[in-house]
Amino acid sequence: MDKASPDRLRHLIEVVVESLDDHLDGGRLAGRAYLSRFHFDRLVAAGLGEAPGAFRRRLLLERAAWRLIGRHRVTDAGFEAGYGSTEAFSRAFRRAYGASPSTFAAEPGDFRLPAPNGIHFHPPAGLFVTGAATGTTMDLTDRLLDHDLWLTGRLLEDAGRLPDHLLDREVRPGHEVLPFDGPEPTVRLMLDRLVWTKEVWTAAIAGRELPDGADRSLDGLRRRWGVAGEEFRTLVHGIRARDAWNDAFVDALCEPPQSFTLGGVVAHVLTFSAHRRQVLVEALAELGVAEVAPACPMEWERLAVTRRSHPADHLRGTALPTTEEPS
């Protein structure tokens, strides 16, 4: 059975979700996606492991259960879910939840039903998609680290569209992120600090001599980044694998020498890297670089999945078990 691409599947899911309250039959629902009923059903079922009708009914029942928790009347919840009578709604609800709507309302439990794809109704009118549904195993460390490394690389590429005199223009006179790093008024110096910070801390933790960091040409910064970014990734993954976040070391190059935990260093680097990246995104845009890479991790994550950006108000995902068809 053919499967829709992730981007195409999301569009089909959005068609279903946006039509929840329209109570369309299968043919008219497929028409909204500009597909035949057969092709629409096949693509959604292949992508979700659940037929579009069952998927829609489950979402409606989950929403109805949430309404009941909020003290809505059984009649109103059933009507909103598309059932023509309270009796039909009660039968469908009991099969799905193992209790009547009134019993569930009196002793509420989880309104989410078992789903083959981990996609559920999310109050008040959205969707919730579990990590298992997307096939991702990234934890928070992965997200913060991978977004930082990806965006820094993209900013180095974006800066390549500027001539040297703009790279060295003081777009932020007096701008200083940390006193010991000195002023960062130009795009070139901001990029250098992004790279240098990774170089310094990976060297300090590994017990190596500090790199000279002398080459601030764009090609030089990219070469330095190619090494420093991967070294930092390897370093963080190793710390996580050993659960060594609280391990500490003494940096004798500080005046006076200071001790740091590995977790504190990683948090420090990513925190100030995020600040510098945001300033760089704004500075590049001001200097005329069109379509600067998105600084938002949520937008980066969407790009990683779909390879194109989406408006922030678009829904992502959906799914459902077989229940009685609303009348």
Side-chain angles (χ1 to χ4, degrees):
M1 182 180 289
D2 295 337
K3 286 191 177 183
S5 67
D7 208 42
R8 179 60 164 158
L9 179 60
R10 279 166 174 75
H11 169 67
L12 299 178
I13 290 169
E14 287 165 4
V15 168
V16 176
V17 173
E18 290 167 359
S19 305
L20 278 182
D21 292 315
D22 295 339
H23 307 306
L24 304 177
D25 60 29
R28 293 172 64 196
L29 186 61
R32 289 196 173 180
Y34 304 102
L35 294 171
S36 68
R37 170 73 180 275
F38 172 79
H39 196 46
F40 179 78
D41 287 359
R42 183 182 65 177
L43 287 176
V44 174
L48 297 180
E50 196 168 34
F55 167 64
R56 176 178 174 275
R57 289 193 295 275
R58 180 170 61 81
L59 287 185
L60 287 169
L61 279 173
E62 288 184 343
R63 187 176 69 175
W66 176 70
R67 298 283 195 218
L68 292 172
I69 293 172
R71 303 306 180 189
H72 279 61
R73 296 192 308 165
V74 172
T75 301
D76 294 339
F79 179 77
E80 186 185 52
Y83 292 87
S85 68
T86 301
E87 291 74 17
F89 172 60
S90 295
R91 286 196 302 270
F93 194 94
R94 184 184 292 276
R95 276 199 295 270
Y97 288 93
S100 68
S102 57
T103 300
F104 183 87
E107 301 176 5
D110 188 353
F111 65 82
R112 296 181 179 90
L113 291 166
N117 40 46
I119 306 172
H120 300 277
F121 170 74
H122 185 63
L127 296 174
F128 185 87
V129 187
T130 67
T134 61
T136 58
T137 57
M138 293 174 63
D139 64 12
L140 182 59
T141 304
D142 289 317
R143 282 175 165 81
L144 293 173
L145 178 63
D146 288 356
H147 176 249
D148 173 63
L149 300 182
W150 172 84
L151 183 53
T152 301
R154 283 293 302 271
L155 291 171
L156 283 163
E157 293 302 316
D158 290 340
R161 291 184 262 167
L162 294 175
D164 280 347
H165 75 278
L166 290 182
L167 288 173
D168 295 317
R169 175 183 290 180
E170 290 202 357
V171 288
R172 294 291 186 276
H175 174 62
E176 188 176 78
V177 178
L178 293 166
F180 51 79
D181 280 335
E184 305 173 30
T186 70
V187 166
R188 191 188 303 276
L189 284 173
M190 294 176 200
L191 289 168
D192 175 67
R193 296 299 189 276
L194 272 177
V195 177
W196 175 246
T197 298
K198 302 273 193 318
E199 291 174 329
V200 166
W201 284 110
T202 52
I205 292 173
R208 299 195 309 258
E209 293 290 333
L210 294 181
D212 60 34
D215 192 347
R216 292 177 176 173
S217 68
L218 275 183
D219 285 342
L221 286 168
R222 291 185 189 117
R223 282 194 298 270
R224 289 167 55 194
W225 176 244
V227 175
E230 284 309 308
E231 284 189 344
F232 188 71
R233 186 201 304 273
T234 301
L235 173 75
V236 175
H237 285 171
I239 294 170
R240 181 181 59 185
R242 303 189 308 274
D243 192 20
W245 301 110
N246 291 322
D247 288 3
F249 69 101
V250 175
D251 189 349
L253 296 179
C254 293
E255 291 291 344
Q258 296 184 42
S259 63
F260 305 96
T261 66
L262 300 184
V265 169
V266 173
H268 167 88
V269 172
L270 293 177
T271 295
F272 290 103
S273 179
H275 173 71
R276 288 185 168 106
R277 295 191 319 258
Q278 183 60 45
V279 175
L280 269 165
V281 166
E282 296 168 359
L284 288 169
E286 290 173 16
L287 291 172
V289 178
E291 299 181 3
V292 180
C296 175
M298 292 186 294
E299 184 66 5
W300 160 75
E301 197 170 61
R302 291 181 184 128
L303 284 168
V305 174
T306 67
R307 299 304 174 194
R308 70 176 179 86
S309 60
H310 292 271
D313 59 349
H314 275 201
L315 295 173
R316 294 276 167 272
T318 326
L320 283 104
T322 302
T323 50
E324 181 171 333
E325 178 74 54
S327 57

